[in-house]
Amino acid sequence: QYYSPVIPFNPRPLSVSIIAWFAIVLGGIGSLSPFCIFVSHLVPQPPNPITEAMNASAAWHAINLGGQILGFFICIAILIGGIQSLKLKPIGRKLLIWYAYYNVLSLVVSAVVGPAILFPILHQLVVQHPNDPAITMGYYGGIVGWLFGLIFGIACIWVILYFMNRPNVKTAFGMMPPEMSIIPPPPGSSISGGEFPPGNHTLPPR
């Protein structure tokens, strides 16, 4: 006799798996940033007027250094959050939601720092070197990168807060009783306790 194969039940929603793996990759790459910065200082670099001008700004240097230090610990947090979310541990969900709220603050700071500090520095370089295509490309590349960072950050916030607060996700993390995450079937269906749909439901003779 033929039996259909039994598919093992996976209690982890697909959205949690995608967000968790994304957090693991993002957090893992960010956690390696201090090592990459250390290695870059060991390798001789050619003169870069854009980097020199940005480092000459005390405000930008302080914000950039503070962002790197804070970002390192944030990357460790989302790395742990992604790993724990794969295990459906409540602390994993909390860490990723906290990261979304941190991202809101980070976007506000970025939206102010870009036009107020970064763009004037780059624009001054373009004025001083009007015939240097590398500086011109760096100026427009900085604007495009800034806009992309804002859009990417907003998308991350929406995805995390929307999917991590879904009823089935809360149930998977043990935050909500299972019966509260089940969408009730339409009235009259056989699984709702009502009547069967019209038709002949007589059992055939044995």
Side-chain angles (χ1 to χ4, degrees), residues 1-155:
Q1 188 176 2
Y2 173 78
Y3 294 94
S4 60
V6 177
I7 301 176
F9 173 70
N10 183 9
R12 186 176 65 236
L14 178 61
S15 58
V16 174
S17 300
I18 296 175
I19 294 175
W21 278 112
F22 178 78
I24 290 173
V25 173
L26 185 64
I29 295 175
S31 301
L32 296 176
S33 59
F35 175 76
C36 297
I37 294 175
F38 174 76
V39 172
S40 67
H41 286 292
L42 297 179
V43 179
Q45 302 290 335
N48 189 332
I50 296 179
T51 304
E52 294 174 358
M54 293 171 62
N55 291 333
S57 172
W60 171 258
H61 182 72
I63 293 174
N64 188 38
L65 180 61
Q68 289 179 359
I69 296 174
L70 181 60
F72 171 71
F73 292 103
I74 293 297
C75 286
I76 293 179
I78 63 175
L79 174 62
I80 297 174
I83 294 174
Q84 295 300 315
S85 293
L86 288 179
K87 301 177 182 179
L88 295 179
K89 301 294 185 181
I91 185 62
R93 175 179 173 271
K94 290 181 180 179
L95 285 174
L96 295 183
I97 290 179
W98 289 343
Y99 166 70
Y101 290 139
Y102 159 79
N103 223 1
V104 173
L105 178 61
S106 177
L107 289 180
V108 173
V109 174
S110 178
V112 174
V113 170
I117 299 178
L118 178 60
F119 297 162
I121 296 175
L122 299 178
H123 183 264
Q124 184 65 26
L125 281 176
V126 174
V127 173
Q128 295 175 355
H129 304 83
N131 298 322
D132 193 332
I135 293 180
T136 303
M137 290 296 296
Y139 173 63
Y140 290 107
I143 296 177
V144 172
W146 175 76
L147 288 174
F148 177 79
L150 291 180
I151 296 173
F152 179 77
I154 293 173

